[in-house]
Amino acid sequence: MLFVAVALCAGGLAIAGLAALLGRASRGTGSTGGVLSAPAQVLAVREISSGGGQQHWVKMQFGDGHQRELMATASQAEVMVRGQQGTVHWTGDRLTGWTPEVGRGPQDVYRSE
């Protein structure tokens, strides 16, 4: 009887986890398939080390004051500087490109990785 209760509990947790993942994707925090772009300013670039790997996150502020943090590759993060303005390209919560404003106009360093 105890085995059945444990099995039902584990199955319920697995279903709850799947539902959470599906809900996250439907809210647009996962990859949506479409690349969006908007003018923005870099607020912060940070690196998180976890389990032998590293994640790079870039916090952006848009013209309307809205802020969003996007996951970036190492090569994307290394060309972004705090305070820099330009055009950010993203899908879901992943940075797909960055075109900084340099001098009088944008310099395209768009990387689709």
Side-chain angles (χ1 to χ4, degrees), residues 2-109:
L2 180 61
F3 175 78
V4 173
V6 170
L8 287 175
C9 183
L13 289 175
I15 291 172
L18 180 60
L21 286 174
L22 291 174
R24 179 179 177 192
S26 68
R27 287 191 306 271
T29 57
S31 179
T32 61
V35 176
L36 303 172
S37 64
Q41 180 179 20
V42 178
L43 293 180
V45 180
R46 64 188 177 104
E47 181 179 304
I48 300 173
S49 297
S50 62
Q54 296 176 339
Q55 290 184 340
H56 300 271
W57 291 89
V58 180
K59 188 171 188 176
M60 308 297 295
Q61 181 169 343
F62 299 93
D64 63 358
H66 174 77
Q67 296 180 5
R68 183 175 194 130
E69 196 164 31
L70 302 167
M71 186 185 317
T73 64
S75 61
Q76 290 169 328
E78 73 184 15
V79 299
M80 301 181 82
V81 179
R82 184 174 182 257
Q84 190 176 38
Q85 295 193 1
T87 302
V88 64
H89 308 273
W90 77 96
T91 182
D93 63 353
R94 299 188 68 88
L95 178 78
T96 60
W98 171 246
T99 307
E101 291 180 8
V102 178
R104 297 178 190 244
Q107 176 185 0
D108 193 358
V109 293

